[in-house]
Amino acid sequence: MKPSQLIPIIRRLDAMREDESDEVQVRRFEKDGKEQCIVRYDKSSRMYELEDRTSGQTYEFDNIDYVAVEILELVQPASSTED
């Protein structure tokens, strides 16, 4: 069984939330060296903002699990359906 790919994503998101500064925290997530999304965390509103670089859309989340799953969908390699 492969280790969870969500754990490193959640750790990065949690580090954003735990940062002591009042500045908006920003992290970039890539797939094969290409930026897939930019995530911002605003401590004052306790909201994550995900900018999908492939579609140009922006989403807001107040739940770390939801934003982590969205990031995973953008950065995980396409799964093979071959048997």
Side-chain angles (χ1 to χ4, degrees):
M1 176 188 281
K2 289 185 176 182
S4 173
Q5 295 178 346
L6 276 174
I7 292 171
I9 294 171
I10 290 175
R11 284 186 181 140
R12 289 182 69 189
L13 295 173
D14 201 37
M16 295 170 76
R17 189 173 58 192
E18 296 298 322
D19 189 276
E20 296 294 325
S21 74
D22 290 330
E23 295 178 17
V24 172
Q25 296 295 305
V26 179
R27 301 291 187 278
R28 298 176 185 325
F29 292 85
E30 299 177 350
K31 175 181 174 182
D32 299 327
K34 184 176 178 195
E35 189 174 79
Q36 298 298 305
C37 65
I38 299 173
V39 177
R40 296 172 188 85
Y41 180 73
D42 183 352
K43 187 174 270 194
S44 65
S45 66
R46 297 182 181 174
M47 295 289 290
Y48 290 95
E49 178 184 272
L50 183 146
E51 180 184 341
D52 182 337
R53 302 292 283 169
T54 60
S55 71
Q57 295 202 340
T58 301
Y59 307 93
E60 288 189 344
F61 299 89
D62 62 356
N63 183 299
I64 194 170
D65 294 325
Y66 296 154
V67 71
V69 169
E70 193 68 31
I71 293 166
L72 180 64
E73 289 178 1
L74 290 169
V75 301
Q76 74 181 352
S79 60
S80 175
T81 57
E82 297 176 13
D83 288 321

